[in-house]
Coordinates of all heavy atoms in Angstrom, one line a residue:
M240 N -20.0 -15.1 -4.4 CA -18.8 -15.4 -3.7 C -17.7 -14.5 -4.1 O -17.6 -14.1 -5.3 CB -18.4 -16.9 -4.1 CG -17.2 -17.3 -3.3 SD -17.0 -19.1 -3.7 CE -15.5 -19.3 -2.8
T241 N -16.9 -14.1 -3.2 CA -15.8 -13.1 -3.4 C -14.7 -13.8 -4.2 O -14.2 -14.9 -3.8 CB -15.2 -12.6 -2.1 OG1 -16.3 -12.0 -1.4 CG2 -14.1 -11.6 -2.3
E242 N -14.2 -13.2 -5.2 CA -13.1 -13.6 -6.0 C -11.9 -12.7 -5.7 O -12.1 -11.6 -5.5 CB -13.4 -13.5 -7.5 CG -13.8 -14.7 -8.2 CD -14.0 -14.4 -9.7 OE1 -12.9 -14.4 -10.4 OE2 -15.1 -14.3 -10.1
T243 N -10.7 -13.3 -5.8 CA -9.5 -12.5 -5.8 C -8.9 -12.5 -7.2 O -8.7 -13.5 -7.7 CB -8.5 -13.1 -4.8 OG1 -9.1 -13.1 -3.5 CG2 -7.3 -12.2 -4.7
I244 N -8.7 -11.3 -7.7 CA -8.3 -11.1 -9.1 C -6.8 -10.5 -9.0 O -6.6 -9.5 -8.3 CB -9.2 -10.1 -9.8 CG1 -10.6 -10.7 -9.9 CG2 -8.6 -9.8 -11.2 CD1 -11.6 -9.8 -10.3
Y245 N -5.9 -11.2 -9.6 CA -4.5 -10.8 -9.6 C -4.2 -10.2 -11.0 O -4.4 -10.8 -12.0 CB -3.6 -12.0 -9.4 CG -3.7 -12.6 -8.0 CD1 -4.6 -13.6 -7.7 CD2 -2.8 -12.2 -7.0 CE1 -4.7 -14.1 -6.5 CE2 -2.9 -12.7 -5.7 CZ -3.9 -13.7 -5.5 OH -4.0 -14.2 -4.2
I246 N -3.6 -9.0 -10.9 CA -3.3 -8.3 -12.1 C -1.9 -7.6 -11.9 O -1.5 -7.4 -10.8 CB -4.3 -7.2 -12.5 CG1 -4.5 -6.1 -11.4 CG2 -5.7 -7.9 -12.9 CD1 -5.4 -5.0 -11.9
S247 N -1.3 -7.2 -13.0 CA -0.2 -6.3 -13.0 C -0.6 -4.9 -13.1 O -1.7 -4.6 -13.6 CB 0.8 -6.7 -14.1 OG 1.3 -8.0 -13.9
R248 N 0.3 -4.0 -12.7 CA 0.0 -2.6 -12.8 C -0.4 -2.2 -14.2 O 0.2 -2.6 -15.2 CB 1.3 -1.9 -12.4 CG 1.2 -0.5 -12.2 CD 2.6 -0.1 -11.6 NE 2.7 1.3 -11.6 CZ 3.6 2.0 -12.2 NH1 4.6 1.3 -12.8 NH2 3.6 3.3 -12.3
K249 N -1.5 -1.4 -14.3 CA -2.0 -0.9 -15.5 C -2.6 -1.9 -16.5 O -2.9 -1.6 -17.6 CB -1.0 0.0 -16.3 CG -0.6 1.3 -15.5 CD 0.3 2.0 -16.4 CE 0.2 3.5 -16.1 NZ 1.1 4.2 -17.0
D250 N -2.9 -3.1 -16.0 CA -3.6 -4.1 -16.8 C -5.0 -3.7 -17.1 O -5.6 -3.9 -18.1 CB -3.6 -5.5 -16.1 CG -2.4 -6.3 -16.3 OD1 -1.5 -5.8 -17.1 OD2 -2.3 -7.3 -15.7
L251 N -5.7 -3.0 -16.1 CA -7.0 -2.6 -16.2 C -7.1 -1.0 -16.1 O -6.2 -0.4 -15.5 CB -7.9 -3.2 -15.1 CG -8.0 -4.7 -15.1 CD1 -8.8 -5.2 -13.8 CD2 -8.6 -5.3 -16.3
T252 N -8.3 -0.5 -16.5 CA -8.5 0.9 -16.3 C -9.0 1.1 -14.8 O -9.4 0.1 -14.2 CB -9.5 1.5 -17.2 OG1 -10.8 0.9 -17.0 CG2 -9.2 1.3 -18.7
S253 N -9.0 2.3 -14.3 CA -9.5 2.5 -13.0 C -11.0 2.2 -12.9 O -11.4 1.6 -11.9 CB -9.3 4.0 -12.6 OG -9.8 4.9 -13.5
G254 N -11.7 2.4 -14.0 CA -13.1 2.1 -14.0 C -13.4 0.6 -13.9 O -14.3 0.1 -13.2
E255 N -12.5 -0.2 -14.6 CA -12.6 -1.7 -14.5 C -12.3 -2.2 -13.1 O -12.9 -3.1 -12.6 CB -11.7 -2.3 -15.6 CG -12.1 -2.0 -17.0 CD -11.1 -2.4 -18.0 OE1 -9.9 -2.3 -17.8 OE2 -11.5 -2.8 -19.1
V256 N -11.3 -1.6 -12.5 CA -10.9 -2.0 -11.1 C -12.1 -1.7 -10.2 O -12.5 -2.5 -9.4 CB -9.6 -1.3 -10.6 CG1 -9.4 -1.6 -9.2 CG2 -8.4 -1.8 -11.5
L257 N -12.6 -0.5 -10.3 CA -13.7 -0.1 -9.4 C -15.0 -1.0 -9.7 O -15.7 -1.3 -8.7 CB -14.1 1.4 -9.7 CG -13.1 2.4 -9.2 CD1 -13.4 3.8 -9.7 CD2 -13.0 2.4 -7.6
R258 N -15.2 -1.4 -10.9 CA -16.3 -2.3 -11.2 C -16.1 -3.7 -10.4 O -17.0 -4.2 -9.8 CB -16.4 -2.5 -12.7 CG -17.7 -3.3 -13.1 CD -18.0 -3.3 -14.6 NE -16.8 -3.1 -15.5 CZ -16.5 -2.0 -16.1 NH1 -17.1 -0.9 -15.9 NH2 -15.4 -1.9 -16.9
E259 N -14.9 -4.2 -10.4 CA -14.6 -5.4 -9.7 C -14.8 -5.2 -8.2 O -15.4 -6.1 -7.6 CB -13.1 -5.9 -10.0 CG -12.9 -6.4 -11.4 CD -13.8 -7.5 -11.8 OE1 -14.2 -8.3 -11.0 OE2 -14.0 -7.7 -13.1
L260 N -14.3 -4.1 -7.7 CA -14.5 -3.9 -6.3 C -16.0 -3.7 -5.9 O -16.5 -4.2 -4.9 CB -13.8 -2.6 -5.8 CG -12.2 -2.6 -6.0 CD1 -11.6 -1.3 -5.6 CD2 -11.6 -3.7 -5.2
G261 N -16.7 -3.1 -6.8 CA -18.2 -2.9 -6.6 C -18.9 -4.2 -6.6 O -20.0 -4.4 -6.0
N262 N -18.4 -5.2 -7.4 CA -19.0 -6.6 -7.4 C -18.6 -7.4 -6.2 O -18.9 -8.6 -6.2 CB -18.5 -7.3 -8.7 CG -19.2 -6.7 -9.9 OD1 -20.2 -6.1 -9.9 ND2 -18.5 -6.8 -11.1
G263 N -17.8 -6.8 -5.3 CA -17.4 -7.6 -4.1 C -16.1 -8.3 -4.2 O -15.7 -9.1 -3.3
N264 N -15.4 -8.2 -5.3 CA -14.1 -8.9 -5.5 C -13.0 -8.1 -4.9 O -13.0 -6.9 -4.7 CB -13.9 -9.1 -7.0 CG -14.9 -10.0 -7.6 OD1 -15.4 -10.9 -7.0 ND2 -15.3 -9.7 -8.8
R265 N -11.9 -8.8 -4.6 CA -10.7 -8.2 -4.2 C -9.8 -8.1 -5.4 O -9.8 -9.1 -6.2 CB -10.0 -9.0 -3.1 CG -10.7 -9.1 -1.8 CD -10.1 -10.1 -0.9 NE -8.7 -9.7 -0.6 CZ -8.2 -9.2 0.5 NH1 -9.1 -8.9 1.5 NH2 -7.0 -8.9 0.6
V266 N -9.0 -7.1 -5.5 CA -8.0 -7.0 -6.6 C -6.6 -6.8 -6.0 O -6.4 -6.0 -5.2 CB -8.3 -5.7 -7.5 CG1 -7.3 -5.6 -8.6 CG2 -9.8 -5.9 -8.1
I267 N -5.7 -7.7 -6.4 CA -4.3 -7.6 -6.0 C -3.5 -7.2 -7.2 O -3.5 -7.8 -8.3 CB -3.8 -9.0 -5.6 CG1 -4.7 -9.7 -4.5 CG2 -2.3 -8.9 -5.1 CD1 -4.8 -9.0 -3.2
I268 N -2.8 -6.0 -7.0 CA -2.0 -5.5 -8.1 C -0.6 -5.6 -7.7 O -0.1 -5.2 -6.7 CB -2.4 -4.0 -8.3 CG1 -3.8 -3.8 -8.6 CG2 -1.5 -3.4 -9.4 CD1 -4.3 -2.3 -8.7
E269 N 0.2 -6.3 -8.6 CA 1.6 -6.5 -8.5 C 2.3 -5.3 -9.1 O 2.1 -5.0 -10.3 CB 2.1 -7.8 -9.1 CG 1.6 -9.0 -8.3 CD 2.1 -10.3 -8.8 OE1 2.9 -10.3 -9.8 OE2 1.9 -11.3 -8.1
V270 N 3.2 -4.6 -8.3 CA 3.9 -3.4 -8.7 C 5.4 -3.7 -8.5 O 5.8 -4.1 -7.5 CB 3.4 -2.2 -7.9 CG1 4.2 -1.0 -8.3 CG2 1.9 -2.0 -7.9
E271 N 6.1 -3.4 -9.5 CA 7.6 -3.5 -9.4 C 8.2 -2.1 -9.1 O 8.0 -1.2 -9.8 CB 8.2 -4.0 -10.7 CG 9.7 -4.3 -10.5 CD 10.2 -5.4 -11.3 OE1 9.4 -6.3 -11.6 OE2 11.4 -5.4 -11.6
I272 N 8.9 -2.1 -8.0 CA 9.6 -0.8 -7.5 C 11.0 -1.2 -7.2 O 11.3 -2.0 -6.3 CB 8.9 -0.2 -6.3 CG1 7.4 0.1 -6.6 CG2 9.6 1.0 -5.8 CD1 6.6 0.6 -5.4
L273 N 11.9 -0.5 -7.9 CA 13.3 -0.7 -7.7 C 13.7 -2.2 -7.7 O 14.5 -2.7 -6.9 CB 13.8 0.0 -6.4 CG 13.5 1.5 -6.3 CD1 13.8 2.0 -4.9 CD2 14.3 2.2 -7.4
G274 N 13.2 -2.9 -8.7 CA 13.5 -4.3 -8.9 C 12.8 -5.3 -7.9 O 13.1 -6.5 -8.0
K275 N 12.0 -4.8 -7.0 CA 11.2 -5.6 -6.1 C 9.8 -5.6 -6.5 O 9.2 -4.6 -6.8 CB 11.3 -5.1 -4.7 CG 12.3 -5.7 -3.8 CD 12.2 -5.1 -2.4 CE 11.8 -6.2 -1.4 NZ 11.9 -5.7 -0.1
T276 N 9.1 -6.8 -6.4 CA 7.7 -6.9 -6.7 C 6.9 -6.8 -5.4 O 7.2 -7.6 -4.5 CB 7.4 -8.2 -7.4 OG1 8.1 -8.3 -8.6 CG2 5.9 -8.3 -7.7
L277 N 6.0 -5.8 -5.3 CA 5.2 -5.6 -4.2 C 3.7 -5.8 -4.6 O 3.4 -5.6 -5.7 CB 5.3 -4.2 -3.7 CG 6.7 -3.7 -3.3 CD1 6.7 -2.2 -2.9 CD2 7.3 -4.5 -2.2
K278 N 2.9 -6.3 -3.6 CA 1.5 -6.5 -3.9 C 0.7 -5.5 -3.1 O 0.9 -5.3 -1.9 CB 1.1 -8.0 -3.5 CG 1.8 -9.0 -4.3 CD 1.4 -10.4 -4.0 CE 2.1 -11.4 -4.9 NZ 1.8 -12.7 -4.6
M279 N -0.3 -5.0 -3.8 CA -1.2 -4.0 -3.2 C -2.6 -4.6 -3.3 O -3.0 -5.0 -4.3 CB -1.1 -2.7 -3.9 CG 0.3 -2.1 -3.9 SD 0.4 -0.6 -4.7 CE 0.3 0.5 -3.3
A280 N -3.3 -4.8 -2.1 CA -4.6 -5.4 -2.1 C -5.6 -4.3 -2.0 O -5.6 -3.4 -1.2 CB -4.7 -6.3 -0.9
L281 N -6.6 -4.4 -2.9 CA -7.7 -3.4 -3.0 C -9.0 -4.2 -2.7 O -9.2 -5.3 -3.1 CB -7.8 -2.8 -4.4 CG -6.6 -2.2 -5.0 CD1 -6.8 -1.7 -6.4 CD2 -6.0 -1.1 -4.1
R282 N -9.9 -3.5 -1.9 CA -11.1 -4.1 -1.6 C -12.1 -3.1 -1.1 O -11.7 -1.9 -0.9 CB -11.0 -5.2 -0.5 CG -10.7 -4.6 0.9 CD -10.4 -5.7 1.9 NE -10.3 -5.2 3.3 CZ -9.3 -4.6 3.8 NH1 -8.2 -4.4 3.1 NH2 -9.3 -4.2 5.0
R283 N -13.4 -3.4 -1.1 CA -14.4 -2.5 -0.6 C -15.3 -3.3 0.4 O -15.7 -4.4 0.1 CB -15.3 -2.1 -1.8 CG -16.4 -1.2 -1.4 CD -17.2 -0.8 -2.6 NE -18.3 0.1 -2.1 CZ -19.5 0.1 -2.7 NH1 -19.8 -0.7 -3.7 NH2 -20.5 0.8 -2.2
Q284 N -15.4 -2.7 1.5 CA -16.3 -3.2 2.6 C -17.3 -2.1 3.0 O -16.8 -1.0 3.4 CB -15.5 -3.7 3.8 CG -14.7 -5.0 3.5 CD -14.0 -5.4 4.8 OE1 -13.1 -4.7 5.3 NE2 -14.4 -6.6 5.3
G285 N -18.6 -2.4 2.9 CA -19.5 -1.4 3.2 C -19.4 -0.3 2.2 O -19.3 -0.5 1.0
G286 N -19.3 0.9 2.6 CA -19.1 2.0 1.7 C -17.6 2.5 1.7 O -17.4 3.6 1.1
T287 N -16.7 1.8 2.3 CA -15.3 2.2 2.4 C -14.5 1.4 1.4 O -14.6 0.1 1.4 CB -14.8 2.1 3.8 OG1 -15.7 2.8 4.7 CG2 -13.4 2.6 3.9
Y288 N -13.6 2.1 0.7 CA -12.6 1.4 -0.2 C -11.3 1.3 0.6 O -10.9 2.3 1.3 CB -12.4 2.2 -1.4 CG -13.6 2.2 -2.3 CD1 -14.6 3.1 -2.2 CD2 -13.7 1.2 -3.3 CE1 -15.7 3.1 -3.0 CE2 -14.8 1.2 -4.2 CZ -15.8 2.1 -4.0 OH -16.9 2.1 -4.8
Y289 N -10.5 0.2 0.4 CA -9.3 0.0 1.1 C -8.2 -0.3 0.1 O -8.4 -1.1 -0.8 CB -9.3 -1.1 2.1 CG -10.3 -0.9 3.2 CD1 -11.6 -1.3 3.1 CD2 -9.9 -0.2 4.4 CE1 -12.5 -1.1 4.1 CE2 -10.8 0.0 5.4 CZ -12.1 -0.4 5.3 OH -13.0 -0.2 6.3
C290 N -7.0 0.3 0.3 CA -5.8 0.0 -0.5 C -4.7 -0.3 0.5 O -4.2 0.6 1.1 CB -5.5 1.2 -1.4 SG -4.0 0.9 -2.4
D291 N -4.4 -1.6 0.6 CA -3.5 -2.1 1.6 C -2.1 -2.2 0.9 O -1.9 -3.1 0.1 CB -3.9 -3.4 2.1 CG -3.2 -3.8 3.4 OD1 -2.3 -3.1 3.8 OD2 -3.4 -5.0 3.8
T292 N -1.2 -1.3 1.2 CA 0.1 -1.3 0.6 C 1.1 -2.0 1.6 O 0.7 -2.1 2.8 CB 0.6 0.1 0.3 OG1 0.9 0.8 1.5 CG2 -0.5 0.9 -0.5
P293 N 2.3 -2.3 1.2 CA 3.2 -2.9 2.1 C 3.6 -1.9 3.2 O 4.1 -2.3 4.3 CB 4.5 -3.2 1.3 CG 3.9 -3.4 -0.1 CD 2.8 -2.4 -0.2
M294 N 3.4 -0.6 3.0 CA 3.8 0.4 3.9 C 2.7 0.9 4.8 O 2.9 1.3 6.0 CB 4.5 1.6 3.2 CG 5.9 1.2 2.7 SD 6.3 2.0 1.2 CE 5.9 0.8 0.0
K295 N 1.5 1.0 4.3 CA 0.3 1.5 5.1 C -1.0 1.2 4.4 O -1.1 0.8 3.3 CB 0.4 3.0 5.4 CG 0.3 3.9 4.2 CD 0.4 5.3 4.6 CE 0.3 6.3 3.6 NZ 0.4 7.7 4.1
L296 N -2.0 1.3 5.2 CA -3.4 1.1 4.7 C -4.0 2.4 4.4 O -4.1 3.3 5.3 CB -4.2 0.3 5.8 CG -5.7 0.1 5.5 CD1 -5.8 -0.8 4.3 CD2 -6.4 -0.5 6.7
L297 N -4.5 2.6 3.2 CA -5.2 3.8 2.8 C -6.6 3.5 2.7 O -7.1 2.4 2.3 CB -4.7 4.2 1.4 CG -3.2 4.4 1.2 CD1 -2.8 4.6 -0.3 CD2 -2.7 5.6 2.0
T298 N -7.5 4.4 3.2 CA -8.9 4.2 3.1 C -9.5 5.4 2.4 O -9.0 6.6 2.5 CB -9.5 4.1 4.5 OG1 -9.3 5.3 5.3 CG2 -9.0 2.9 5.3
F299 N -10.6 5.1 1.7 CA -11.3 6.2 0.9 C -12.8 6.0 1.1 O -13.3 4.9 1.1 CB -11.0 6.0 -0.6 CG -9.5 6.1 -0.8 CD1 -8.7 5.0 -1.0 CD2 -8.8 7.3 -0.9 CE1 -7.4 5.0 -1.2 CE2 -7.5 7.4 -1.0 CZ -6.7 6.2 -1.2
E300 N -13.5 7.1 1.3 CA -14.9 7.0 1.5 C -15.8 7.1 0.3 O -17.0 6.8 0.4 CB -15.3 8.2 2.4 CG -14.7 8.2 3.8 CD -15.0 6.9 4.6 OE1 -16.2 6.4 4.5 OE2 -14.1 6.3 5.2
S301 N -15.2 7.3 -0.9 CA -16.0 7.4 -2.1 C -15.3 6.7 -3.3 O -14.0 6.6 -3.3 CB -16.3 8.9 -2.5 OG -15.2 9.5 -2.9
E302 N -16.0 6.4 -4.3 CA -15.5 5.8 -5.5 C -14.6 6.8 -6.2 O -13.5 6.4 -6.7 CB -16.7 5.4 -6.4 CG -16.2 4.7 -7.6 CD -17.4 4.2 -8.5 OE1 -18.1 3.3 -8.0 OE2 -17.6 4.7 -9.6
E303 N -14.9 8.1 -6.1 CA -14.1 9.1 -6.8 C -12.7 9.2 -6.1 O -11.7 9.3 -6.8 CB -14.8 10.4 -6.8 CG -16.0 10.5 -7.6 CD -17.2 9.9 -7.0 OE1 -17.3 9.7 -5.7 OE2 -18.2 9.5 -7.7
E304 N -12.7 9.1 -4.8 CA -11.4 9.2 -4.1 C -10.5 8.0 -4.4 O -9.3 8.1 -4.6 CB -11.6 9.2 -2.6 CG -12.2 10.5 -2.1 CD -12.5 10.4 -0.6 OE1 -12.6 9.3 0.0 OE2 -12.6 11.5 0.0
M305 N -11.2 6.8 -4.5 CA -10.4 5.6 -4.9 C -9.9 5.6 -6.3 O -8.8 5.3 -6.6 CB -11.3 4.3 -4.7 CG -10.6 3.0 -4.9 SD -9.3 2.8 -3.7 CE -8.7 1.2 -4.2
Q306 N -10.7 6.2 -7.2 CA -10.3 6.3 -8.6 C -9.1 7.3 -8.7 O -8.1 7.0 -9.4 CB -11.4 6.8 -9.5 CG -11.0 6.9 -10.9 CD -12.2 7.2 -11.8 OE1 -13.3 7.6 -11.4 NE2 -12.0 7.0 -13.1
R307 N -9.1 8.4 -7.9 CA -8.0 9.3 -8.0 C -6.7 8.6 -7.4 O -5.6 8.8 -8.0 CB -8.3 10.5 -7.1 CG -9.1 11.5 -7.9 CD -9.2 12.9 -7.2 NE -9.7 12.9 -5.9 CZ -11.0 13.0 -5.6 NH1 -11.9 13.2 -6.5 NH2 -11.4 13.0 -4.3
C308 N -6.8 7.8 -6.4 CA -5.7 7.0 -5.9 C -5.1 6.1 -7.0 O -3.9 6.0 -7.2 CB -6.1 6.2 -4.7 SG -4.8 5.1 -4.0
L309 N -6.0 5.3 -7.6 CA -5.6 4.4 -8.6 C -4.8 5.1 -9.7 O -3.8 4.6 -10.2 CB -6.8 3.6 -9.2 CG -7.5 2.6 -8.3 CD1 -8.8 2.2 -8.9 CD2 -6.6 1.5 -8.1
E310 N -5.3 6.2 -10.1 CA -4.7 7.0 -11.2 C -3.4 7.7 -10.8 O -2.4 7.8 -11.5 CB -5.7 7.9 -11.9 CG -6.7 7.1 -12.6 CD -7.9 7.9 -13.2 OE1 -7.8 9.2 -13.1 OE2 -8.9 7.3 -13.7
R311 N -3.5 8.3 -9.6 CA -2.3 9.0 -9.0 C -1.1 8.1 -8.9 O 0.0 8.5 -9.3 CB -2.6 9.6 -7.7 CG -1.5 10.3 -7.0 CD -1.8 10.9 -5.7 NE -0.6 11.6 -5.2 CZ -0.4 11.8 -3.9 NH1 -1.3 11.4 -3.0 NH2 0.6 12.4 -3.5
Y312 N -1.3 7.0 -8.3 CA -0.2 6.0 -8.1 C 0.0 5.1 -9.3 O 0.8 4.2 -9.3 CB -0.4 5.2 -6.9 CG -0.3 6.1 -5.6 CD1 -1.4 6.4 -4.9 CD2 0.9 6.6 -5.2 CE1 -1.3 7.2 -3.8 CE2 1.0 7.5 -4.1 CZ -0.1 7.7 -3.4 OH 0.0 8.6 -2.3
R313 N -0.7 5.4 -10.4 CA -0.6 4.7 -11.7 C -0.7 3.1 -11.5 O 0.0 2.4 -12.1 CB 0.7 5.0 -12.4 CG 0.6 6.5 -12.9 CD 2.0 7.0 -13.1 NE 2.0 8.4 -13.7 CZ 1.7 9.5 -13.0 NH1 1.3 9.4 -11.7 NH2 1.9 10.7 -13.5
L314 N -1.7 2.8 -10.6 CA -2.0 1.4 -10.4 C -2.9 0.8 -11.5 O -2.9 -0.3 -11.8 CB -2.6 1.1 -9.1 CG -1.8 1.6 -7.9 CD1 -2.6 1.4 -6.6 CD2 -0.5 0.7 -7.8
A315 N -3.6 1.8 -12.1 CA -4.6 1.4 -13.2 C -4.4 2.5 -14.3 O -4.0 3.6 -14.0 CB -6.0 1.3 -12.7
R316 N -4.8 2.2 -15.5 CA -4.8 3.2 -16.5 C -6.0 4.1 -16.3 O -7.0 3.8 -15.8 CB -5.0 2.5 -17.9 CG -3.9 1.6 -18.3 CD -4.0 1.1 -19.8 NE -5.4 0.7 -20.1 CZ -5.8 -0.5 -20.0 NH1 -5.1 -1.5 -19.5 NH2 -7.1 -0.8 -20.4
A317 N -5.8 5.4 -16.6 CA -6.9 6.4 -16.5 C -8.0 6.0 -17.5 O -7.7 5.5 -18.6 CB -6.3 7.8 -16.8
D318 N -9.2 6.3 -17.1 CA -10.3 6.0 -18.0 C -10.4 6.9 -19.2 O -10.8 6.5 -20.2 CB -11.7 6.1 -17.2 CG -11.9 4.9 -16.4 OD1 -11.5 3.8 -16.7 OD2 -12.6 5.0 -15.3
S319 N -9.9 8.1 -19.0 CA -10.0 9.1 -20.1 C -8.6 9.1 -20.8 O -7.6 8.9 -20.2 CB -10.3 10.5 -19.5 OG -9.3 10.9 -18.6
A320 N -8.7 9.5 -22.0 CA -7.4 9.6 -22.8 C -6.5 10.8 -22.4 O -5.4 10.8 -22.7 CB -7.8 9.8 -24.3
D321 N -7.1 11.7 -21.6 CA -6.3 12.9 -21.2 C -5.6 12.7 -19.8 O -5.0 13.6 -19.3 CB -7.1 14.2 -21.2 CG -8.4 14.1 -20.3 OD1 -8.5 13.1 -19.6 OD2 -9.2 15.0 -20.4
G322 N -5.7 11.4 -19.3 CA -5.0 11.2 -18.0 C -3.5 11.1 -18.1 O -3.0 10.8 -19.2
P323 N -2.8 11.5 -17.1 CA -1.3 11.5 -17.2 C -0.8 10.1 -17.3 O -1.3 9.1 -16.7 CB -0.9 12.1 -15.8 CG -2.1 11.8 -14.9 CD -3.3 11.8 -15.8
E324 N 0.2 9.9 -18.2 CA 0.7 8.6 -18.4 C 2.2 8.5 -18.1 O 2.8 7.4 -18.2 CB 0.5 8.1 -19.9 CG -0.9 7.6 -20.1 CD -1.3 6.4 -19.3 OE1 -0.5 5.5 -19.2 OE2 -2.4 6.4 -18.7
E325 N 2.9 9.6 -17.9 CA 4.3 9.4 -17.6 C 4.5 8.8 -16.2 O 3.8 9.1 -15.3 CB 5.0 10.8 -17.8 CG 4.8 11.8 -16.6 CD 5.5 13.1 -16.8 OE1 5.2 13.7 -17.9 OE2 6.3 13.4 -16.0
E326 N 5.6 8.0 -16.1 CA 5.8 7.3 -14.9 C 7.1 7.7 -14.3 O 8.1 7.9 -15.0 CB 5.9 5.8 -15.1 CG 4.6 5.2 -15.6 CD 4.7 3.7 -15.8 OE1 5.6 3.1 -15.2 OE2 4.0 3.2 -16.6
T327 N 7.2 7.8 -13.0 CA 8.4 8.0 -12.3 C 8.4 7.0 -11.1 O 7.3 6.6 -10.6 CB 8.6 9.4 -11.7 OG1 7.5 9.7 -10.8 CG2 8.5 10.4 -12.9
A328 N 9.6 6.6 -10.6 CA 9.6 5.7 -9.5 C 9.1 6.3 -8.3 O 8.4 5.7 -7.5 CB 11.1 5.3 -9.3
S329 N 9.2 7.6 -8.1 CA 8.7 8.3 -6.9 C 7.2 8.4 -6.9 O 6.6 8.5 -5.9 CB 9.4 9.7 -6.8 OG 9.0 10.5 -7.8
S330 N 6.6 8.4 -8.1 CA 5.2 8.5 -8.1 C 4.5 7.3 -7.5 O 3.4 7.5 -7.0 CB 4.7 8.7 -9.6 OG 4.9 7.6 -10.3
V331 N 5.1 6.2 -7.5 CA 4.5 5.0 -7.0 C 4.8 4.9 -5.5 O 4.0 4.4 -4.7 CB 4.9 3.7 -7.7 CG1 4.4 2.5 -7.1 CG2 4.4 3.8 -9.2
S332 N 5.9 5.3 -5.1 CA 6.4 5.1 -3.7 C 6.0 6.3 -2.8 O 6.4 6.3 -1.6 CB 7.9 4.9 -3.7 OG 8.5 6.0 -4.2
E333 N 5.2 7.3 -3.3 CA 4.8 8.4 -2.4 C 3.9 8.0 -1.3 O 3.1 7.1 -1.4 CB 4.0 9.4 -3.3 CG 4.8 10.1 -4.2 CD 4.0 11.1 -5.1 OE1 2.8 11.1 -5.0 OE2 4.6 11.8 -5.9

């Protein structure tokens, strides 16, 4: 049965989020931008990964593309210690 998992930004690593998606679960990440809390819904259907933001739906054909998205927008912590950790408001709203 599909579970919906609610987390805050950077609660999990990108690998942990991908593992949940691979298990068929949905992951809702709450992100605070300019004092507003937004929800981003992540899911996997078939071989396609989806990241539904309040502004648009992003689709990815591979796990690697989804992982790059999670790390680029800092929705999850990087799996490796050498991943970028500095945050800017514009990095999430790109």
